[in-house]
Structures are given as C-alpha cells and as structure tokens.
Amino acid sequence: MTYTPHPGRYERMPYKRAGRSGLLLPALSLGLWNNFGHDHPLETSRAIVRRAFDLGITHFDLANNYGPPYGSAEENFGKLLHLDLAPFRDELVISTKAGYDMWGGPYGEWGSRKYVLASLDQSLGRMGLDYVDIFYSHRFDPETPLEETMGALDTAVRQGKALYVGISSYSARKTREAAAILRALGTPLLIHQPSYSLLNRWIEAELLDTLADEGIGCIGFSPLAQGMLTDRYLGGIPEGARAGRESTLSPALLTEETMSKVQALNQIAGRRSQTLAQMALAWTLRDPRMTSTLAGASSVAQLEENVAALERLDFSGEELTEIDRYATESNINLWAQSSSV
Ligand SMILES: NC(=O)c1ccc[n+]([C@@H]2O[C@H](COP(=O)([O-])OP(=O)(O)OC[C@H]3O[C@@H](n4cnc5c(N)ncnc54)[C@H](OP(=O)(O)O)[C@@H]3O)[C@@H](O)[C@H]2O)c1
C-alpha cells in the first residue's frame, strides 16, 4: 500500500539547531545499529521507520557496518526509502559513518582517505542514494594523520556525496583539532556523536564545553544504555532482548551494583509519571548544548513510548540532585578507547 505520512507530523516534535549551523534535528532521532539488519523481519523495520516519520522523526542514523551482517541495515533502509520514503527525501536527514572494521585487508577500517571515501561510495550504493546528509568519521584513528581523515570528509562534501560532516567518539582535544582542520578547508564540523546516558556521563567533563565553544552540535547515542535504562531488565533478561542474544550488550554489564542504580532510577521516574526509558531520554536533553538524543527501538510500541518522553522534559533541582546519586559511571562505555586519545 502506498505510504501517506501523517499530516500532523511536524506539530509536536521539537527541532533543535545543530551548533552554529542552519540544520535543525529532531530532539529524538532513530538509530539503526541494531534491529534493522537481515536478522530482523523487514516488515517490523518498515513499521518502526514509518511510525518514526509519522511522529516527526526526520533523522535516521546509520553506519557502514550496521546489521548484522555488516551493510544490511543500509540495504534495508534503502529498501524502505524505495518503498515508502523516497518522495520525502528532502524532509529526511540521513547519516552514515566509516571507521570500524567493514571489509578485509588493510583498507577496510580506521581513517585513511582510501577507506573513508570507498566506504561512503559503498554506503550510497547500498541505500540507493546520491548523497547523505551527514557523513561521520566513526572513531579516531591514532595511526592516520587527522588531516588525512578530515580531508576525506571535506572531499566527500566537495564531491556532493555529503552535505555536512561529523565525528564520533573523539576526545575534546581531538575534536578541537578536527574542527580547526575542517574550518581551514572550508567545511565546518557540524556535529559530534558521543555515547551519553545516565550511566555514562563522560561528555560532561570537557567535551560539551568544547562543542559549545566551537559551535558544534551534539547528538548523544545509546541514551538508554542499550536497553539497560528501560524496564527491559528489571526482572531479569527476557527472551529476544539485546542482552539475551549474541550482541553488543554483554550480560556481564548488568551487574548487581548497576542494576540497583537502575531500580532506584526507575522509582524516581515513576514519581515523575514517566517510564524509566522516558526519564532517561528526557535527562539526556536537559542540557541546552544537546541537539538530539539518538535511541534505538525494536518495536513500534518502544518507539511510541520514547517519543512520549518529549512531553515531559523539565526536571526540578531536587529531582536532578536525587538522580545524581544513582547516575554514576558504570563501566558501560564501549567506545572509550576512541575518546581516550
Ligand atoms: N557512533 C557510534 O559509535 C555509535 C555506537 C552505538 C550506537 N550508535 C547510534 O545510536 C543508536 C542507538 O543506540 P542503541 O540502540 O544502543 O540505543 P539505546 O536507545 O540506548 O538502546 C536501544 C535498545 O533499548 C531497548 N529499548 C528502546 N526503547 C525501549 C523502551 N521504550 N522500552 C524498553 N526497551 C526499550 C531496545 O532493546 P531490545 O532490542 O532488547 O528490545 C532497543 O534496541 C544506534 O542505532 C546508532 O545509530 C552510535
């Protein structure tokens, strides 16, 4: 059936400017890292993506290796564009990334010009697109000159294959260097994509100040700590959940200590008349320097619950103080190596 988007889709979603740029992003963006590969039924992915667009989510985030298998999330998203969303291309912000292992041999990962530009061509081919809106360096490469990686991002823009560029999981220091290189090339650094949640607060120490100084936007990923900051694991590991299958969420991360913090946060959320997922999302947006929060979903129901978080974004001082007692580092930042340089 032909897809007709909801006519009221722009009425409730807040849109925020990415740094000092002209680009507005929805407060909540949808990530396709998990749940959109060939291991999931296309019809489920299709229902989630359609519902997201109907609810005002204009930004869909991908990477070359999202799946599994690698590349399959982009392939499936390409099918969904073809089936439903292609007529609305100018209403969409589609991002992809290169940096992690994608293909064999010396040119299939990290930050060389050779890899980064070949990967973008492959991503465009899988999605059936002429250009992406944002192209990211997915992680900092300590062995490649930063000028080379940033030069490749600049080339992607000059080739018309990307409108804007971003970096992900770079330290504050490397972010400043990257921004300076890109500025000199004439391609501003639009946005940084770091991990950020109640259990992973590394960006608060320095990165957010750097981004504000440089006029760079911030889209925090894994705001639900891959599902730990929801009701998913409050009573153990249910069948089908990310921690219950071979995935990036190791059950070893669900320690007794961390889960007791999650239980306490869940109580606070209840007093705010929110679910834990909703409070966790709202909390990541409490700082005006945050442009968007980038969550995943494995069902339409999860997505709808998450969008409803935007109805209650305010926190009292007392709530924030109480949350701070439990919102402490919990060794879940799997991307720390990239930002440690
Ligand atoms: N730049 C990078 O290096 C990087 C790294 C990681 C992620 N990301 C981006 O960030 C996006 C989000 O990452 P993520 O998937 O880890 O994010 P997340 O939002 O922290 O976790 C999403 C998972 O939480 C569960 N969930 C979501 N809403 C729920 C709800 N209302 N109730 C109960 N459970 C709920 C689902 O788990 P189940 O599947 O178990 O149902 C879902 O798959 C990715 O898709 C990607 O775009 C970027």
Side-chain angles (χ1 to χ4, degrees), residues 30-35 61-62 66 97 100 138 168-169 193 221-228 230-233 240-243 245 277 281 294-298 301-303 305-306 335:
L30 181 67
L32 282 74
W33 178 31
N34 284 260
N35 309 316
D61 181 73
L62 294 112
Y66 288 178
K97 321 184 189 80
Y100 286 95
H138 208 163
S168 178
S169 303
Q193 186 178 126
F221 71 77
S222 296
L224 303 174
Q226 299 200 59
M228 290 166 69
T230 71
D231 60 9
R232 209 84 167 102
Y233 302 105
R242 195 181 294 186
R245 40 178 216 263
L281 292 168
L294 175 54
S298 64
Q302 286 183 356
L303 175 81
E305 179 183 330
N306 297 349
W335 306 270

Short mmCIF file of all heavy atoms in Angstrom, two decimals, residues 30-35 61-62 66 97 100 138 168-169 193 221-228 230-233 240-243 245 277 281 294-298 301-303 305-306 335, ligand 1:
data_model
loop_
_atom_site.label_atom_id
_atom_site.label_comp_id
_atom_site.label_asym_id
_atom_site.label_seq_id
_atom_site.Cartn_x
_atom_site.Cartn_y
_atom_site.Cartn_z
N LEU A 30 16.31 8.47 15.36
CA LEU A 30 16.25 6.99 15.38
C LEU A 30 17.53 6.40 14.82
O LEU A 30 17.96 6.74 13.71
CB LEU A 30 15.05 6.50 14.56
CG LEU A 30 14.87 4.98 14.55
CD1 LEU A 30 14.49 4.44 15.93
CD2 LEU A 30 13.80 4.55 13.53
N GLY A 31 18.13 5.49 15.59
CA GLY A 31 19.35 4.81 15.17
C GLY A 31 19.06 3.40 14.69
O GLY A 31 18.20 2.70 15.24
N LEU A 32 19.78 2.98 13.65
CA LEU A 32 19.51 1.68 13.02
C LEU A 32 20.67 0.69 13.22
O LEU A 32 20.89 -0.20 12.42
CB LEU A 32 19.20 1.85 11.53
CG LEU A 32 17.77 2.33 11.22
CD1 LEU A 32 17.56 3.80 11.55
CD2 LEU A 32 17.39 2.09 9.77
N TRP A 33 21.39 0.87 14.32
CA TRP A 33 22.54 -0.01 14.62
C TRP A 33 22.10 -1.46 14.79
O TRP A 33 22.65 -2.38 14.19
CB TRP A 33 23.20 0.50 15.92
CG TRP A 33 24.36 -0.26 16.43
CD1 TRP A 33 25.28 -0.95 15.71
CD2 TRP A 33 24.75 -0.36 17.80
NE1 TRP A 33 26.24 -1.48 16.56
CE2 TRP A 33 25.93 -1.11 17.85
CE3 TRP A 33 24.24 0.13 19.01
CZ2 TRP A 33 26.60 -1.41 19.05
CZ3 TRP A 33 24.90 -0.14 20.19
CH2 TRP A 33 26.07 -0.91 20.20
N ASN A 34 21.11 -1.64 15.68
CA ASN A 34 20.54 -2.96 15.92
C ASN A 34 19.11 -2.96 15.39
O ASN A 34 18.53 -1.90 15.20
CB ASN A 34 20.49 -3.25 17.42
CG ASN A 34 21.85 -3.61 18.00
OD1 ASN A 34 22.17 -4.77 18.21
ND2 ASN A 34 22.68 -2.59 18.24
N ASN A 35 18.54 -4.13 15.18
CA ASN A 35 17.10 -4.29 14.87
C ASN A 35 16.72 -3.98 13.42
O ASN A 35 15.54 -4.08 13.08
CB ASN A 35 16.20 -3.43 15.77
CG ASN A 35 16.50 -3.61 17.24
OD1 ASN A 35 16.68 -4.73 17.69
ND2 ASN A 35 16.61 -2.51 17.96
N ASP A 61 19.83 7.46 11.58
CA ASP A 61 21.29 7.34 11.69
C ASP A 61 21.75 5.92 11.37
O ASP A 61 21.27 4.95 11.97
CB ASP A 61 21.71 7.70 13.12
CG ASP A 61 23.22 7.61 13.31
OD1 ASP A 61 23.92 8.51 12.79
OD2 ASP A 61 23.70 6.66 13.95
N LEU A 62 22.69 5.83 10.44
CA LEU A 62 23.24 4.53 10.03
C LEU A 62 24.75 4.56 10.09
O LEU A 62 25.37 5.59 10.36
CB LEU A 62 22.77 4.18 8.61
CG LEU A 62 21.25 3.94 8.52
CD1 LEU A 62 20.58 5.02 7.73
CD2 LEU A 62 20.95 2.57 7.96
N TYR A 66 26.37 -1.41 10.21
CA TYR A 66 25.18 -1.77 10.97
C TYR A 66 24.48 -2.96 10.32
O TYR A 66 24.36 -3.05 9.10
CB TYR A 66 24.21 -0.58 11.10
CG TYR A 66 24.71 0.52 12.04
CD1 TYR A 66 23.96 1.67 12.23
CD2 TYR A 66 25.92 0.41 12.73
CE1 TYR A 66 24.40 2.69 13.10
CE2 TYR A 66 26.36 1.42 13.58
CZ TYR A 66 25.61 2.56 13.76
OH TYR A 66 26.04 3.56 14.59
N LYS A 97 28.40 6.44 8.46
CA LYS A 97 29.73 6.60 9.07
C LYS A 97 30.69 5.57 8.51
O LYS A 97 30.27 4.50 8.05
CB LYS A 97 29.67 6.38 10.59
CG LYS A 97 28.46 6.95 11.27
CD LYS A 97 28.50 6.77 12.78
CE LYS A 97 27.16 7.14 13.39
NZ LYS A 97 26.13 6.12 13.29
N TYR A 100 34.94 1.82 11.72
CA TYR A 100 35.15 0.47 12.28
C TYR A 100 35.34 -0.53 11.15
O TYR A 100 35.16 -0.21 9.96
CB TYR A 100 33.97 0.09 13.18
CG TYR A 100 34.01 0.84 14.50
CD1 TYR A 100 33.29 2.01 14.68
CD2 TYR A 100 34.83 0.39 15.54
CE1 TYR A 100 33.36 2.72 15.88
CE2 TYR A 100 34.90 1.09 16.74
CZ TYR A 100 34.16 2.25 16.90
OH TYR A 100 34.25 2.95 18.08
N HIS A 138 33.78 7.60 12.21
CA HIS A 138 33.10 6.85 13.27
C HIS A 138 33.95 6.73 14.54
O HIS A 138 33.44 6.54 15.62
CB HIS A 138 32.79 5.45 12.71
CG HIS A 138 31.61 4.77 13.30
ND1 HIS A 138 31.01 3.69 12.70
CD2 HIS A 138 30.92 4.96 14.45
CE1 HIS A 138 30.01 3.28 13.44
NE2 HIS A 138 29.93 4.01 14.51
N SER A 168 32.64 11.04 15.60
CA SER A 168 32.00 10.27 16.67
C SER A 168 33.06 9.76 17.64
O SER A 168 34.10 9.24 17.21
CB SER A 168 31.23 9.10 16.05
OG SER A 168 30.64 8.33 17.06
N SER A 169 32.78 9.90 18.92
CA SER A 169 33.64 9.38 19.99
C SER A 169 35.06 9.92 19.92
O SER A 169 36.01 9.21 20.26
CB SER A 169 33.65 7.83 19.98
OG SER A 169 32.34 7.33 20.10
N GLN A 193 29.06 12.98 17.66
CA GLN A 193 28.15 11.92 18.14
C GLN A 193 28.88 11.09 19.19
O GLN A 193 29.62 10.17 18.88
CB GLN A 193 27.69 11.04 16.97
CG GLN A 193 26.65 10.03 17.39
CD GLN A 193 26.11 9.15 16.26
OE1 GLN A 193 26.13 7.92 16.37
NE2 GLN A 193 25.64 9.75 15.19
N PHE A 221 24.50 9.22 21.72
CA PHE A 221 23.97 7.90 21.35
C PHE A 221 23.87 6.95 22.55
O PHE A 221 24.52 7.16 23.57
CB PHE A 221 24.75 7.26 20.19
CG PHE A 221 26.15 6.78 20.49
CD1 PHE A 221 26.39 5.60 21.18
CD2 PHE A 221 27.24 7.48 20.00
CE1 PHE A 221 27.68 5.12 21.41
CE2 PHE A 221 28.54 7.02 20.23
CZ PHE A 221 28.76 5.85 20.94
N SER A 222 23.07 5.91 22.36
CA SER A 222 22.77 4.91 23.41
C SER A 222 22.30 5.57 24.71
O SER A 222 22.80 5.27 25.80
CB SER A 222 23.97 3.99 23.66
OG SER A 222 24.26 3.23 22.52
N PRO A 223 21.30 6.47 24.61
CA PRO A 223 20.79 7.14 25.82
C PRO A 223 20.10 6.18 26.78
O PRO A 223 19.91 6.51 27.95
CB PRO A 223 19.78 8.16 25.25
CG PRO A 223 19.35 7.57 23.94
CD PRO A 223 20.56 6.87 23.39
N LEU A 224 19.72 5.00 26.27
CA LEU A 224 19.08 4.00 27.13
C LEU A 224 20.08 2.92 27.54
O LEU A 224 19.68 1.87 28.05
CB LEU A 224 17.88 3.37 26.39
CG LEU A 224 16.83 4.37 25.90
CD1 LEU A 224 15.75 3.69 25.07
CD2 LEU A 224 16.19 5.09 27.10
N ALA A 225 21.37 3.20 27.34
CA ALA A 225 22.41 2.23 27.67
C ALA A 225 22.07 0.86 27.07
O ALA A 225 22.11 -0.17 27.76
CB ALA A 225 22.62 2.16 29.18
N GLN A 226 21.71 0.90 25.80
CA GLN A 226 21.38 -0.30 25.02
C GLN A 226 20.17 -1.06 25.57
O GLN A 226 19.99 -2.23 25.27
CB GLN A 226 22.56 -1.25 24.92
CG GLN A 226 23.79 -0.67 24.25
CD GLN A 226 24.70 -1.78 23.78
OE1 GLN A 226 24.31 -2.64 22.98
NE2 GLN A 226 25.93 -1.79 24.25
N GLY A 227 19.37 -0.40 26.39
CA GLY A 227 18.17 -1.05 26.94
C GLY A 227 18.24 -1.21 28.45
O GLY A 227 17.23 -1.48 29.10
N MET A 228 19.43 -1.01 29.04
CA MET A 228 19.56 -1.16 30.49
C MET A 228 18.74 -0.11 31.24
O MET A 228 18.28 -0.35 32.34
CB MET A 228 21.03 -1.04 30.92
CG MET A 228 21.86 -2.22 30.48
SD MET A 228 23.64 -1.88 30.62
CE MET A 228 23.82 -1.82 32.38
N THR A 230 15.76 0.96 30.82
CA THR A 230 14.34 0.79 30.49
C THR A 230 13.82 -0.27 31.47
O THR A 230 14.59 -0.78 32.30
CB THR A 230 14.13 0.27 29.05
OG1 THR A 230 14.55 -1.11 28.99
CG2 THR A 230 14.93 1.07 28.03
N ASP A 231 12.57 -0.65 31.29
CA ASP A 231 12.06 -1.71 32.16
C ASP A 231 12.45 -3.11 31.67
O ASP A 231 12.08 -4.11 32.26
CB ASP A 231 10.53 -1.61 32.29
CG ASP A 231 9.83 -1.73 30.94
OD1 ASP A 231 10.50 -2.06 29.93
OD2 ASP A 231 8.61 -1.47 30.89
N ARG A 232 13.24 -3.17 30.59
CA ARG A 232 13.56 -4.44 29.93
C ARG A 232 14.21 -5.47 30.87
O ARG A 232 13.94 -6.65 30.79
CB ARG A 232 14.53 -4.13 28.77
CG ARG A 232 14.50 -5.05 27.58
CD ARG A 232 13.44 -4.69 26.60
NE ARG A 232 13.63 -5.41 25.33
CZ ARG A 232 12.92 -6.48 24.99
NH1 ARG A 232 12.01 -6.97 25.80
NH2 ARG A 232 13.11 -7.05 23.81
N TYR A 233 15.10 -4.99 31.74
CA TYR A 233 15.91 -5.92 32.54
C TYR A 233 15.60 -5.84 34.04
O TYR A 233 16.34 -6.39 34.84
CB TYR A 233 17.41 -5.66 32.28
CG TYR A 233 17.75 -5.82 30.81
CD1 TYR A 233 17.99 -4.71 30.00
CD2 TYR A 233 17.79 -7.08 30.21
CE1 TYR A 233 18.26 -4.85 28.64
CE2 TYR A 233 18.05 -7.24 28.85
CZ TYR A 233 18.29 -6.11 28.08
OH TYR A 233 18.54 -6.27 26.73
N GLY A 240 14.67 -12.62 23.59
CA GLY A 240 14.63 -11.69 22.46
C GLY A 240 15.30 -10.35 22.75
O GLY A 240 15.56 -9.58 21.85
N ALA A 241 15.55 -10.05 24.04
CA ALA A 241 16.17 -8.76 24.37
C ALA A 241 17.64 -8.79 23.94
O ALA A 241 18.25 -9.85 23.81
CB ALA A 241 16.06 -8.48 25.86
N ARG A 242 18.21 -7.58 23.77
CA ARG A 242 19.57 -7.48 23.24
C ARG A 242 20.58 -8.25 24.11
O ARG A 242 21.45 -8.92 23.59
CB ARG A 242 19.98 -6.01 23.11
CG ARG A 242 21.20 -5.84 22.24
CD ARG A 242 21.63 -4.37 22.12
NE ARG A 242 20.68 -3.52 21.44
CZ ARG A 242 20.91 -2.25 21.14
NH1 ARG A 242 22.09 -1.70 21.43
NH2 ARG A 242 20.00 -1.52 20.52
N ALA A 243 20.43 -8.15 25.43
CA ALA A 243 21.39 -8.83 26.32
C ALA A 243 21.23 -10.35 26.28
O ALA A 243 22.09 -11.08 26.76
CB ALA A 243 21.25 -8.33 27.75
N ARG A 245 20.82 -12.14 23.41
CA ARG A 245 21.32 -12.74 22.18
C ARG A 245 22.76 -12.30 21.99
O ARG A 245 23.26 -11.44 22.73
CB ARG A 245 20.46 -12.36 20.97
CG ARG A 245 19.98 -10.94 20.93
CD ARG A 245 19.19 -10.65 19.66
NE ARG A 245 19.45 -9.30 19.23
CZ ARG A 245 18.66 -8.27 19.52
NH1 ARG A 245 17.55 -8.44 20.19
NH2 ARG A 245 18.98 -7.06 19.12
N ALA A 277 12.57 4.55 30.69
CA ALA A 277 13.08 4.92 29.36
C ALA A 277 12.81 6.40 29.08
O ALA A 277 13.68 7.13 28.60
CB ALA A 277 12.44 4.04 28.28
N LEU A 281 15.68 9.34 28.56
CA LEU A 281 15.78 10.14 27.32
C LEU A 281 15.68 11.63 27.65
O LEU A 281 16.50 12.44 27.17
CB LEU A 281 14.68 9.74 26.34
CG LEU A 281 14.81 8.34 25.74
CD1 LEU A 281 13.53 7.95 25.03
CD2 LEU A 281 16.00 8.25 24.79
N LEU A 294 19.85 10.06 20.48
CA LEU A 294 19.78 9.07 19.38
C LEU A 294 19.54 7.68 19.96
O LEU A 294 20.46 7.03 20.46
CB LEU A 294 21.12 9.12 18.61
CG LEU A 294 21.35 8.12 17.50
CD1 LEU A 294 20.23 8.16 16.47
CD2 LEU A 294 22.69 8.42 16.83
N ALA A 295 18.29 7.25 19.88
CA ALA A 295 17.91 5.97 20.50
C ALA A 295 17.57 4.93 19.45
O ALA A 295 17.24 5.26 18.31
CB ALA A 295 16.72 6.19 21.43
N GLY A 296 17.62 3.68 19.86
CA GLY A 296 17.17 2.57 19.03
C GLY A 296 15.81 2.09 19.53
O GLY A 296 15.34 2.49 20.59
N ALA A 297 15.17 1.24 18.74
CA ALA A 297 13.90 0.63 19.16
C ALA A 297 13.73 -0.67 18.39
O ALA A 297 14.09 -0.74 17.22
CB ALA A 297 12.73 1.57 18.87
N SER A 298 13.17 -1.68 19.07
CA SER A 298 12.93 -2.94 18.37
C SER A 298 11.45 -3.14 18.07
O SER A 298 11.07 -4.17 17.52
CB SER A 298 13.48 -4.13 19.18
OG SER A 298 12.79 -4.26 20.41
N ALA A 301 5.90 -0.03 19.60
CA ALA A 301 5.49 0.35 20.96
C ALA A 301 6.63 1.04 21.70
O ALA A 301 6.42 2.06 22.37
CB ALA A 301 5.01 -0.88 21.73
N GLN A 302 7.86 0.50 21.58
CA GLN A 302 9.01 1.15 22.23
C GLN A 302 9.20 2.56 21.67
O GLN A 302 9.41 3.52 22.41
CB GLN A 302 10.30 0.35 21.99
CG GLN A 302 10.39 -0.93 22.80
CD GLN A 302 11.72 -1.65 22.58
OE1 GLN A 302 12.54 -1.23 21.76
NE2 GLN A 302 11.92 -2.75 23.28
N LEU A 303 9.13 2.67 20.36
CA LEU A 303 9.33 3.98 19.73
C LEU A 303 8.31 4.99 20.24
O LEU A 303 8.64 6.13 20.58
CB LEU A 303 9.22 3.82 18.21
CG LEU A 303 9.30 5.13 17.45
CD1 LEU A 303 10.74 5.56 17.29
CD2 LEU A 303 8.62 5.03 16.09
N GLU A 305 6.62 4.96 23.03
CA GLU A 305 6.92 5.29 24.43
C GLU A 305 8.05 6.33 24.48
O GLU A 305 7.99 7.28 25.25
CB GLU A 305 7.32 4.02 25.17
CG GLU A 305 7.66 4.25 26.63
CD GLU A 305 8.13 2.98 27.34
OE1 GLU A 305 7.69 1.86 26.96
OE2 GLU A 305 8.95 3.11 28.26
N ASN A 306 9.04 6.13 23.63
CA ASN A 306 10.20 7.03 23.67
C ASN A 306 9.84 8.44 23.19
O ASN A 306 10.27 9.43 23.78
CB ASN A 306 11.34 6.43 22.83
CG ASN A 306 11.82 5.11 23.41
OD1 ASN A 306 11.44 4.76 24.52
ND2 ASN A 306 12.64 4.38 22.67
N TRP A 335 33.03 2.62 23.91
CA TRP A 335 33.68 3.43 22.87
C TRP A 335 34.78 4.32 23.47
O TRP A 335 35.28 5.24 22.82
CB TRP A 335 32.61 4.29 22.17
CG TRP A 335 31.50 3.42 21.65
CD1 TRP A 335 31.44 2.84 20.41
CD2 TRP A 335 30.32 3.00 22.36
NE1 TRP A 335 30.30 2.07 20.31
CE2 TRP A 335 29.59 2.15 21.48
CE3 TRP A 335 29.80 3.23 23.63
CZ2 TRP A 335 28.38 1.55 21.85
CZ3 TRP A 335 28.60 2.63 24.00
CH2 TRP A 335 27.90 1.81 23.12
N1 LIG B 1 28.66 6.41 16.87
C1 LIG B 1 28.77 5.25 17.44
O1 LIG B 1 29.87 4.70 17.63
C2 LIG B 1 27.50 4.56 17.91
C3 LIG B 1 27.57 3.46 18.77
C4 LIG B 1 26.37 2.91 19.22
C5 LIG B 1 25.15 3.44 18.80
N2 LIG B 1 25.14 4.48 17.95
C6 LIG B 1 23.88 5.04 17.41
O2 LIG B 1 22.96 5.19 18.48
C7 LIG B 1 21.77 4.46 18.17
C8 LIG B 1 21.13 3.98 19.42
O3 LIG B 1 21.99 3.05 20.07
P1 LIG B 1 21.37 1.89 20.93
O4 LIG B 1 20.47 1.05 20.10
O5 LIG B 1 22.44 1.28 21.72
O6 LIG B 1 20.44 2.84 21.87
P2 LIG B 1 19.58 2.76 23.11
O7 LIG B 1 18.49 3.67 22.76
O8 LIG B 1 20.42 3.04 24.31
O9 LIG B 1 19.05 1.25 23.23
C9 LIG B 1 18.09 0.77 22.33
C10 LIG B 1 17.52 -0.54 22.85
O10 LIG B 1 16.85 -0.32 24.07
C11 LIG B 1 15.63 -1.06 24.11
N3 LIG B 1 14.53 -0.10 24.15
C12 LIG B 1 14.36 1.04 23.43
N4 LIG B 1 13.24 1.68 23.81
C13 LIG B 1 12.70 0.93 24.78
C14 LIG B 1 11.53 1.07 25.57
N5 LIG B 1 10.73 2.13 25.43
N6 LIG B 1 11.26 0.10 26.48
C15 LIG B 1 12.06 -0.98 26.65
N7 LIG B 1 13.19 -1.16 25.93
C16 LIG B 1 13.50 -0.22 25.00
C17 LIG B 1 15.61 -1.91 22.87
O11 LIG B 1 16.23 -3.14 23.21
P3 LIG B 1 15.73 -4.56 22.63
O12 LIG B 1 16.30 -4.59 21.26
O13 LIG B 1 16.32 -5.52 23.59
O14 LIG B 1 14.24 -4.51 22.63
C18 LIG B 1 16.47 -1.12 21.91
O15 LIG B 1 17.06 -1.93 20.92
C19 LIG B 1 22.26 3.36 17.23
O16 LIG B 1 21.22 2.78 16.49
C20 LIG B 1 23.23 4.12 16.39
O17 LIG B 1 22.53 4.88 15.43
C21 LIG B 1 26.29 5.06 17.50
#
